[in-house]
Amino acid sequence: MTRFLDLVHPSAGTALMSQWLTGTAERSRIAADTMLGEWASTSAPPGRLAQHILLATDGSELLFYAQWTSDEAHLGWARAHRAQLVSRVDTLVPGIERPGLTRTRLTDSLVHDATRPAGLLVVSTAAAHEANDTAMRTASMPLPGLLATHVHRTRDGEQTILVTEWDDARAHEGARTAGPGRPYTLYGGVLDEGGADGLTLPLRQA
């Protein structure tokens, strides 16, 4: 699986995370494929830099990780176009639950091994000071199978979201001190050049 830093756009001023709770792997894949098709068939909106979809390993949900030049650029697009786009997905997959969108910034990346491919991404959320403590412990005492830890902080400074990269699910499950988290694999996405036309990444089935 592509390493997380390969997904990060250097010009991103904001990183948006949004869960879609679909309930089943089939519903998740239909929703994800519909979104990928929409992104591939239209020009990228001004300010969008990258958009990726992660699939939960149990298939029950999707996590969208979007990078924009600014929150203002995203909000301008969302007010004009998001409802129409989401309605097309909801026609095919009714009843998706969307708990909300979290606005963050990637503030630090602690890479333990930059060469091995990542088989699993684990996303966890904690109060800012708790997550900082966890990240520092991870940095000083790398766990077997842990490849990297990426620290995101919410705009209000109240929470930190950690994205950790692992060799595979077995490595994460064996690291009991790693703490709780939701495991995902990369499903697909688009990369944009400064908000110009997007390039569709290879679809990655989990």
Side-chain angles (χ1 to χ4, degrees):
M1 185 169 68
T2 302
R3 295 298 298 265
F4 184 79
L5 286 180
D6 293 333
L7 311 181
V8 173
H9 198 292
S11 301
T14 187
L16 313 177
M17 299 188 193
S18 176
Q19 287 178 294
W20 285 17
L21 308 180
T22 62
T24 70
E26 181 181 5
R27 285 165 53 85
S28 289
R29 289 191 171 90
I30 294 171
D33 289 345
T34 301
M35 292 299 293
L36 289 169
E38 292 287 343
W39 296 338
S41 64
T42 59
S43 296
R48 193 188 73 187
L49 301 172
Q51 176 83 69
H52 295 93
I53 304 176
L54 307 181
L55 174 65
T57 54
D58 66 1
S60 66
E61 70 172 74
L62 300 170
L63 178 68
F64 288 78
Y65 184 82
Q67 297 166 76
W68 289 71
T69 54
S70 67
D71 287 321
E72 292 73 21
H74 170 258
L75 287 168
W77 170 84
R79 284 191 290 266
H81 303 290
R82 183 182 182 279
Q84 183 180 8
L85 180 60
V86 169
S87 70
R88 288 197 283 270
V89 178
D90 287 346
T91 299
L92 298 173
V93 189
I96 295 176
E97 296 180 35
R98 300 179 176 90
L101 181 147
T102 303
R103 300 182 182 276
T104 75
R105 291 201 68 175
L106 176 63
T107 59
D108 199 6
S109 289
L110 312 168
V111 179
H112 308 300
D113 189 317
T115 60
R116 298 204 305 273
L120 188 74
L121 298 175
V122 177
V123 179
S124 58
T125 303
H129 68 280
E130 295 174 356
N132 288 342
D133 291 344
T134 299
M136 291 306 101
R137 286 199 304 271
T138 300
S140 60
M141 300 179 61
L143 300 170
L146 176 61
L147 304 178
T149 299
H150 307 282
V151 182
H152 296 72
R153 289 192 175 88
T154 57
R155 287 299 190 183
D156 59 11
E158 295 296 320
Q159 289 186 318
T160 296
I161 299 175
L162 300 180
V163 179
T164 52
E165 296 180 80
W166 297 83
D167 279 333
D168 50 34
R170 180 178 297 179
H172 176 249
E173 292 168 359
R176 297 182 180 180
T177 59
R182 189 74 162 129
Y184 298 90
T185 56
L186 177 66
Y187 193 79
V190 293
L191 294 173
D192 306 314
E193 279 300 327
D197 288 348
L199 172 66
T200 302
L201 292 175
L203 189 64
R204 297 177 180 274
Q205 299 284 351

